[in-house]
Amino acid sequence: MLCFEFIYILGPEIYTRYLKRGVYKYVPKVWLKKMKPKEVVNFTNEKGDVLGKGIGVFLENNEKTKEEYINGVIDGVEVFKSEQTGKILYDDIYIFNRKDRHYIREKTGLEIADGMEVLIYFLPYVLKELLYLCDEKLWNSEILMVSDGSNLPYKLIERLSKEVRFLTILEDKKENAQKNIDKIYNDTGLSIFYSQNVDKILMNYNIIINFKDNISVDTKKLRGKTIVFDLSVGQNFSEEINNINKSVITIEDFLFHWKDLIVEKDFFHTEELIPSYKYEVFNRYDIKDFKQVLVKNEKYTLEELVQTKIRNRIHI
């Protein structure tokens, strides 16, 4: 049996283009929509190793309920997954909330690639470089991290522990927070301040890293020089900031070089750089691959971000 690490549920445009190349170009679309999930392409590297499989499931993006999309993903994956497959790649990832993703994982045994592992790995590097370009040091910065109650914020704190001195964690579950705070202190020596009242402390921080989907804060109280990394699933926090406090920099994703990682480029991506969730399926964490950040849906190198969005304001 062919083993591969990810299944990519191809977008409707790519899947339709594939079908129109062969005998299916004569078949009415209404009939095509009734087809079972179809294998389209094996994704390989330059050595010929199979990294993943591309399958066709959906021919339209907006004609099904979310439940139908979830069941379509599960049905397609179950047909084609191998024993080695660990990730599901799906471009409309943001229609699935945490509960949906948990349900898909329970049914298939596979994780939906969401880029979180990549973001946690690269964020200390990005933050350090960004501050360096601003003539600042991460060591002197005050960071607020908003926890979603999972272990992800604490994984990031462990990666940051040798680079920071001033870090506050905001979490609803005090016992969970204290347990993790104690562990990090014992493992790394980093002392973390804990708080449950966000509005009283917002003005103290120039860097905020958010993991929580729904955070009730007065975004008008954010410093105009604040940099926010929004790692939450729905990214409601950055959306609210962008609507109310436009002087805050909201970083929503990292973008990566990928062209030499895969041979079947036409089926994988149409742009020069890929988002973190697509980079994740390569299990490759190379600083040289990092190229840009996504800010308010615009792409910037760190140098461009500093020159166009930060230098014309007060220093961080």
Side-chain angles (χ1 to χ4, degrees):
M1 183 179 183
L2 182 65
C3 292
F4 47 92
E5 296 184 358
F6 68 89
I7 288 181
Y8 181 16
I9 298 176
L10 301 174
E13 290 185 6
I14 294 176
Y15 186 31
T16 300
R17 188 175 71 229
Y18 164 78
L19 292 176
K20 293 302 182 182
R21 289 178 180 176
V23 295
Y24 291 105
K25 65 183 177 182
Y26 302 109
V27 179
K29 195 170 186 178
V30 66
W31 293 358
L32 292 177
K33 291 178 182 180
K34 298 178 180 180
M35 286 198 316
K36 294 181 179 179
K38 183 175 181 59
E39 179 178 345
V40 175
V41 62
N42 285 330
F43 292 107
T44 61
N45 59 21
E46 292 180 348
K47 296 179 180 178
D49 302 321
V50 177
L51 307 176
K53 184 181 294 292
I55 66 172
V57 178
F58 307 114
L59 287 172
E60 298 286 349
N61 256 341
N62 54 4
E63 63 177 16
K64 296 181 181 295
T65 65
K66 187 166 74 167
E67 183 179 1
E68 288 174 323
Y69 277 116
I70 290 173
N71 290 332
V73 168
I74 292 170
D75 292 344
V77 166
E78 284 299 301
V79 171
F80 294 107
K81 71 179 182 181
S82 75
E83 293 181 0
Q84 189 179 336
T85 309
K87 299 278 186 181
I88 301 169
L89 188 55
Y90 186 59
D91 284 326
D92 286 329
I93 177 178
Y94 297 112
I95 70 170
F96 300 141
N97 58 32
R98 292 187 186 278
K99 184 178 179 181
D100 299 331
R101 297 178 192 190
H102 179 74
Y103 178 75
I104 292 170
R105 183 172 67 247
E106 279 192 330
K107 292 296 182 180
T108 65
L110 309 182
E111 298 277 353
I112 288 185
D114 59 6
M116 195 62 67
E117 295 173 11
V118 171
L119 294 169
I120 288 174
Y121 181 87
F122 282 91
L123 196 145
Y125 164 78
V126 172
L127 187 52
K128 193 172 181 178
E129 284 296 302
L130 190 58
L131 293 176
Y132 172 78
L133 292 169
C134 294
D135 301 318
E136 299 289 337
K137 292 182 179 179
L138 181 54
W139 184 252
N140 296 327
S141 298
E142 297 198 35
I143 300 174
L144 172 65
M145 194 170 296
V146 184
S147 171
D148 60 351
S150 72
N151 66 338
L152 295 174
Y154 300 99
K155 284 185 177 181
L156 178 55
I157 291 174
E158 287 179 357
R159 287 194 50 76
L160 286 167
S161 62
K162 302 302 180 184
E163 306 285 351
V164 301
R165 288 187 295 170
F166 310 113
L167 193 148
T168 298
I169 189 81
L170 179 72
E171 183 174 336
D172 295 333
K173 300 175 182 178
K174 186 174 182 179
E175 290 185 3
N176 182 65
Q178 195 59 56
K179 178 186 69 175
N180 284 290
I181 287 170
D182 292 342
K183 182 179 186 304
I184 288 172
Y185 178 76
N186 292 332
D187 291 345
T188 70
L190 177 65
S191 182
I192 302 169
F193 179 71
Y194 170 76
S195 177
Q196 285 182 309
N197 193 330
V198 63
D199 282 332
K200 285 187 177 180
I201 61 176
L202 269 181
M203 290 293 292
N204 298 335
Y205 300 92
N206 48 20
I207 297 166
I208 297 176
I209 303 171
N210 177 52
F211 285 86
K212 193 174 182 182
D213 287 332
N214 297 300
I215 171 173
S216 179
V217 300
D218 185 355
T219 54
K220 294 178 182 178
K221 292 184 177 181
L222 290 171
R223 291 181 185 178
K225 52 192 173 180
T226 303
I227 295 178
V228 174
F229 292 85
D230 193 358
L231 309 189
S232 63
V233 172
Q235 297 196 324
N236 298 321
F237 188 42
S238 58
E239 183 177 352
E240 182 181 352
I241 291 170
N242 294 338
N243 289 332
I244 296 175
N245 194 338
K246 297 183 184 299
S247 63
V248 173
I249 300 294
T250 55
I251 296 177
E252 294 134 14
D253 202 1
F254 303 157
L255 303 173
F256 298 88
H257 170 78
W258 67 281
K259 288 294 183 72
D260 58 352
L261 302 181
I262 206 162
V263 174
E264 295 75 18
K265 297 175 177 56
D266 290 346
F267 288 97
F268 193 74
H269 203 66
T270 58
E271 299 182 20
E272 287 295 315
L273 301 176
I274 55 174
S276 59
Y277 73 91
K278 274 193 169 177
Y279 184 77
E280 182 178 300
V281 301
F282 295 109
N283 293 318
R284 171 187 168 99
Y285 296 86
D286 191 332
I287 294 299
K288 292 183 292 185
D289 291 337
F290 169 79
K291 298 300 178 184
Q292 293 181 331
V293 292
L294 193 67
V295 177
K296 299 179 183 177
N297 214 32
E298 297 287 337
K299 302 170 185 176
Y300 300 89
T301 65
L302 296 183
E303 292 83 358
E304 289 168 345
L305 183 62
V306 170
Q307 292 299 324
T308 62
K309 298 295 182 180
I310 298 177
R311 281 292 185 198
N312 61 347
R313 303 178 305 154
I314 302 171
H315 276 302
I316 296 173

